[in-house]
Amino acid sequence: MNQTVESRNKALVLEAFDTLFNKRDYAAAEKFWSPRYIQHSPHIAPGREGLFNLIKSLPPTLTYESGTIVSDGEFVIVHGRFSGIGLPVNWIAADILRIKNGILVEHWDVIQDEATREASKSGLPMFGEKFGK
């Protein structure tokens, strides 16, 4: 089957996130992130090592769930939920990644605390069809 660049890039991001955030397989994750990875997130230290060190510092209960994912050329945006992060609330994130030659080379994100059912003025969850725990 002939995949488009966009579908390959989406699959790459989903596999990379599962490998790092859910499986915590740092050796395998190295193949997804460039050694010269550019990190624009203000709460993550520079480079691939900054990201990996952040994940290593989080509780083993960390879980990532992906939701909507879109791709345009070398850019992928994935809307997801980070739970079990050791904070009172989950994070809902839109992660924006640039991919070059099949590897993640650059990252931006927008992160919000997940609203509870009681705090949601719309009455709707921020991620998926159910409120997080």
Side-chain angles (χ1 to χ4, degrees), residues 81 114-132:
R81 174 191 282 144
E114 184 173 19
T116 63
R117 180 182 307 278
E118 298 76 29
S120 174
K121 290 189 182 204
S122 71
L124 298 171
M126 295 173 66
F127 179 81
E129 297 181 14
K130 297 182 204 173
F131 285 88

Side-chain angles (χ1 to χ4, degrees), residues 35-128:
R36 294 178 300 283
Y37 184 64
I38 302 166
Q39 181 61 260
H40 295 276
S41 180
H43 61 274
I44 303 174
R48 177 174 74 185
E49 290 310 310
L51 174 61
F52 287 13
N53 288 336
L54 171 68
I55 303 310
K56 289 174 184 176
S57 76
L58 296 175
T61 53
L62 169 70
T63 302
Y64 176 77
E65 303 167 72
S66 63
T68 301
I69 185 167
V70 295
S71 180
D72 183 20
E74 63 183 6
F75 291 95
V76 172
I77 301 172
V78 60
H79 184 242
R81 174 191 282 144
F82 291 92
S83 57
I85 53 179
L87 298 173
V89 295
N90 298 331
W91 279 353
I92 304 301
D95 287 285
I96 305 155
L97 299 120
R98 186 169 65 87
I99 299 162
K100 187 172 182 178
N101 299 322
I103 193 163
L104 306 177
V105 297
E106 197 164 5
H107 171 262
W108 301 259
D109 60 31
V110 179
I111 298 176
Q112 291 181 286
D113 289 346
E114 184 173 19
T116 63
R117 180 182 307 278
E118 298 76 29
S120 174
K121 290 189 182 204
S122 71
L124 298 171
M126 295 173 66
F127 179 81

